[in-house]
Amino acid sequence: MGPDGGLGADSVAGLPEIYEQDDEDDDGGAPDKGRRRALLALGGAVAVAGGAGALSFTGVGRDLIDRVLGGDGVDTTAAELNNAIADSPAQQQPSTVRTYTEQNESYMGSRAGNELRKNAPATGKLYATPSAAAANTKVTVKTVLAKDPVVHLARRATFGPTPKVISDIRRLGIDAWLRLQLDPAKIAPTPGELKLSELSTLSMSIPQVRANREALNERGAQADQEVVDAAVGRMIFSDRQLFEVMVDFWNDFLHVGPFFDGSDMVRSSFDRDVIRKHALGNYSDMLVAANRHPALLIYLNQNQSSKDNVNENLARENLELYSVGVDGGYTEKDVKQAALLQTGRGVRDDQYVFQPERHHVGPVKIMGFSHPNKTAEGGEAASDMYFRYLALHPSTARYIALNLATRFVSDAPPKSLVDRLAKAYLNDRGAIKPLLMTLFRSSEFWAAVGQKVRRPMEYLAATYRTLGVSPTPSPGFQQGNQNRPPFAQGLRQIRNKMEELGQFPTGQATPNGYPDVFVAWTSAGTMINGWNEALDIINGNRRQFSYVDPEKFAGSKPPATAGAFVDALAKRLVHQTLSAKEKAAVLAIAGVSAGTRVDASFNGALTSIVRALLASPQHHLR
């Protein structure tokens, strides 16, 4: 299995069927297994293209691949394929303080993770500007992606390149484009963003949601649902792409689950007033704001904590997940001391309140932070000082740097980059924009072409973006639900599909957020479901949106021969041409050669060809 490999099996029992527009031949005979075989060959390359192939580095995984590729007639179930993923925990001894192992590391401690590390850049250099770093960095890692720094930036700093994004970067230049993205207020809202006003709760404060609860319920409008739908819309339709990528990053890092008792009143405000407000600001301010927000306090039971009945949940996660990290050097005593200091923070009428009568008074010491904490009235200020101390702790700097490098660079980011980012974070006192500029000025970023695989949510968003889907209804759309506009209906359907694939915005129920490494997401069933959804998008099946006719993807006058036609489609949809063998695999889906003359519909096979490109490593990688 690989970018130049083939696949001998016709199907894999237990996996979802790969949808076809026409499963029968012209004579009403058996399904066309050749198209499925070619599609699986192309999509199966993702594992190796992603850096090593999570399935292929265990004995079980090798055996399963032999059975699938060897065509020996033995059925392989989805459960067997998925269980073959080598996701054993890292070789580390968990301390008694831990409630979670460090999530990404727990996956990367597998044999598959070790193989991924072998294909990551080892070290790097800081340049004066991002463009200088891009121009002077040689890409040496193995990858099927074109080594074009503009396309690389578009893949990493957005939820998926589009012709407009790539054109904007080339027109403005890398440095100016990044400066603009880091100042999102200067970027005009798109028609899709303007239509978010149809989500009636999105701009409501907590008191407004409370006051309108009955009317909202009658319309079926819940604030905690609509804020997730809005995140989907912004991923796909916003031009403020780097900002939205960072919102998603912080929602995984300082994570509050989407739905819990009381979330309908408070969760939307947390996204707006904590994460989005500070996503490009300062992490110290974000952490303080989070610990003054009812969503976090309710989610982790801080509203139940008092000097007489201390709850440690939030105190523990503030250390373990939201600041220094599981190996950041804290002890069980630190957790208990922090829990005492945080007493008095509570919720009344869905609003944050500090209740001095519930606050523990007395000196505290937590990881080098000490405070006399002499009065109940001074407890709020004392704990705010503690949160700012945590936010600027060297272990927090390293933990944020590691997570940021994992999101933007590689599942196994070089130590040189993590060290550089941690130093920049401390030097700039937790400021996020300078931290991102340090990232983009680092050669490690530009050297890591093809070293990230899109997670299910990212794959779906990128597919909508590259296919040019628009936020207005298709002609002739009949609105069934009069309470919800078509755009809102469509976003909810996309969110539901993302949830079916295993990932949607803020969707992790537990406070550790979603993992961000390839081996955590390797699932044959999820991949095939994603391809089937791509086919639905190509066919324009969600009529709440409007779509580009596939015949337009190759230009107003598409090439007359099949090989040139595939080249034009690849440049438009995956932003590069394919290798000769990859192109041959795509042409095999239509049963033609490169020189075969084709019409604008690719002799009736255009939809299958487009879907094959969206199943290719070039679309799965980012």
Side-chain angles (χ1 to χ4, degrees):
M1 183 184 294
D4 298 327
L7 188 66
D10 292 328
S11 65
V12 182
L15 292 179
E17 273 298 308
I18 300 177
Y19 298 159
E20 286 287 350
Q21 276 200 294
D22 183 5
D23 271 350
E24 295 190 346
D25 61 23
D26 293 336
D27 299 322
D32 181 358
K33 295 179 179 179
R35 286 189 180 181
R36 289 190 178 86
R37 183 183 299 112
L39 183 63
L40 284 165
L42 198 63
V46 174
V48 171
L55 282 174
S56 61
F57 293 100
T58 65
V60 175
R62 283 192 297 270
D63 177 62
L64 287 167
I65 286 174
D66 288 343
R67 289 162 63 186
V68 174
L69 298 185
D72 59 7
V74 180
D75 282 341
T76 304
T77 67
E80 287 180 300
L81 279 169
N82 295 339
N83 289 338
I85 300 165
D87 59 356
S88 58
Q91 299 303 310
Q92 55 185 6
Q93 295 297 319
S95 74
T96 58
V97 181
R98 291 181 176 182
T99 56
Y100 305 95
T101 57
E102 202 291 308
Q103 186 168 224
N104 288 331
E105 177 61 21
S106 73
Y107 288 103
M108 292 301 291
S110 64
R111 291 180 65 186
N114 291 335
E115 293 296 332
L116 286 165
R117 287 189 176 92
K118 294 179 182 178
N119 198 36
T123 187
K125 178 181 177 181
L126 183 67
Y127 287 87
T129 63
S131 61
N136 289 285
T137 299
K138 183 179 180 181
V139 179
T140 60
V141 295
K142 298 177 182 178
T143 179
V144 299
L145 294 188
K147 297 172 183 179
D148 181 339
V150 167
V151 179
H152 174 62
L153 178 61
R155 285 191 174 106
R156 295 295 173 88
T158 77
F159 279 102
T162 65
K164 180 183 183 302
V165 167
I166 293 173
S167 173
D168 285 349
I169 299 174
R170 295 198 194 282
R171 175 175 56 84
L172 295 172
I174 287 171
D175 297 336
W177 185 83
L178 281 170
R179 284 195 299 271
L180 182 61
Q181 288 290 310
L182 289 172
D183 196 358
K186 293 183 178 179
I187 301 174
T190 63
E193 286 178 293
L194 293 174
K195 286 180 74 66
L196 290 176
S197 63
E198 296 175 4
L199 302 176
S200 57
T201 66
L202 206 58
S203 61
M204 286 186 178
S205 66
I206 292 173
Q208 288 172 328
V209 174
R210 282 174 57 87
N212 292 278
R213 176 184 291 182
E214 187 174 332
L216 292 171
N217 287 340
E218 288 177 358
R219 298 206 315 268
Q222 291 85 33
D224 54 351
Q225 299 277 356
E226 290 195 337
V227 71
V228 179
D229 299 341
V232 173
R234 287 162 171 150
M235 288 176 181
I236 296 171
F237 297 113
S238 177
D239 283 345
R240 301 161 179 166
Q241 280 287 297
L242 182 54
F243 176 70
E244 297 303 333
V245 168
M246 288 305 296
V247 167
D248 183 63
F249 171 81
W250 291 119
N251 265 319
D252 271 338
F253 188 88
L254 211 171
H255 181 65
V256 172
F259 311 121
F260 50 89
D261 188 18
S263 63
D264 57 332
M265 293 292 107
V266 299
R267 183 60 183 82
S268 180
S269 169
F270 185 83
D271 184 76
R272 180 182 62 245
D273 301 326
V274 176
I275 300 297
R276 298 182 69 81
K277 181 177 179 179
H278 300 289
L280 293 177
N282 187 287
Y283 186 65
S284 296
D285 296 336
M286 186 187 295
L287 186 61
V288 169
N291 278 275
R292 285 174 170 254
H293 198 281
L296 182 62
L297 303 189
I298 294 171
Y299 179 60
L300 290 175
N301 310 117
Q302 182 63 32
N303 58 321
Q304 301 173 11
S305 187
S306 70
K307 62 183 179 183
D308 300 317
N309 186 22
V310 179
N311 186 298
E312 297 178 356
N313 287 356
L314 180 55
R316 188 178 302 277
E317 307 310 358
N318 271 330
L319 287 161
E320 183 170 309
L321 298 175
Y322 307 151
S323 64
V324 299
V326 69
D327 291 316
Y330 66 93
T331 67
E332 188 67 26
K333 183 178 179 180
D334 291 323
V335 173
K336 293 183 180 300
Q337 288 276 286
L340 290 173
L341 181 60
Q342 291 174 208
T343 54
R345 291 175 179 252
V347 177
R348 182 185 299 131
D349 295 332
D350 298 314
Q351 297 274 53
Y352 165 76
V353 293
F354 183 75
Q355 301 160 306
E357 69 278 8
R358 295 169 63 89
H359 177 69
H360 166 83
V361 174
V364 293
K365 291 185 178 181
I366 311 158
M367 289 193 71
F369 173 85
S370 62
H371 196 282
N373 190 32
K374 289 182 178 180
T375 67
E377 291 73 16
E380 183 179 42
S383 49
D384 279 349
M385 289 176 62
Y386 162 65
F387 298 137
R388 293 191 181 279
Y389 170 85
L390 275 188
L392 296 178
H393 193 282
S395 293
T396 302
R398 183 165 188 80
Y399 191 47
I400 289 176
L402 176 62
N403 278 270
L404 195 69
T406 301
R407 173 63 61 96
F408 279 91
V409 177
S410 165
D411 290 0
K415 181 178 181 297
S416 59
L417 177 63
V418 175
D419 290 345
R420 189 181 306 125
L421 292 175
K423 182 179 179 181
Y425 177 90
L426 292 174
N427 287 344
D428 290 299
R429 307 291 293 171
I432 296 165
K433 288 183 182 180
L435 180 64
L436 285 170
M437 285 303 291
T438 299
L439 172 75
F440 294 123
R441 290 166 52 211
S442 295
S443 64
E444 294 94 332
F445 171 82
W446 301 97
V449 175
Q451 300 308 295
K452 292 294 294 184
V453 180
R454 287 182 174 131
R455 299 177 295 176
M457 176 180 77
E458 296 163 346
Y459 174 84
L460 214 58
T463 301
Y464 273 90
R465 285 176 58 77
T466 201
L467 289 175
V469 177
S470 299
T472 54
S474 294
F477 172 75
Q478 298 294 319
Q479 183 172 346
N481 183 351
Q482 297 301 317
N483 286 330
R484 292 183 62 75
F487 185 58
Q489 292 180 35
L491 293 179
R492 181 66 55 85
Q493 289 183 13
I494 299 173
R495 192 282 296 278
N496 290 342
K497 175 55 69 171
M498 288 177 172
E499 186 172 6
E500 183 182 322
L501 296 177
Q503 185 193 19
F504 65 96
T506 73
Q508 182 85 322
T510 53
N512 51 348
Y514 286 119
D516 203 3
V517 293
F518 170 57
V519 291
W521 294 100
T522 309
S523 162
T526 296
M527 185 174 288
I528 290 174
N529 274 331
W531 300 344
N532 288 338
E533 177 65 12
L535 181 61
D536 282 342
I537 303 169
I538 297 165
N539 288 332
N541 289 350
R542 299 196 194 285
R543 306 294 289 170
Q544 297 90 344
F545 305 107
S546 52
Y547 300 84
V548 176
D549 183 340
E551 292 189 6
K552 305 293 186 184
F553 289 140
S556 57
K557 293 183 178 180
T561 58
F565 202 131
V566 168
D567 286 341
L569 287 174
K571 288 178 181 178
R572 167 61 181 80
L573 296 173
V574 298
H575 317 292
Q576 65 175 83
T577 56
L578 307 180
S579 70
K581 288 189 176 181
E582 288 166 342
K583 185 160 70 172
V586 173
L587 292 169
I589 290 173
V592 298
S593 66
T596 302
R597 295 192 68 80
V598 292
D599 60 17
S601 73
F602 212 95
N603 296 350
L606 181 58
T607 297
S608 294
I609 296 296
V610 171
R611 197 261 293 267
L613 290 170
L614 300 178
S616 70
Q618 285 81 353
H619 187 60
H620 277 278
L621 297 174
R622 69 169 180 88

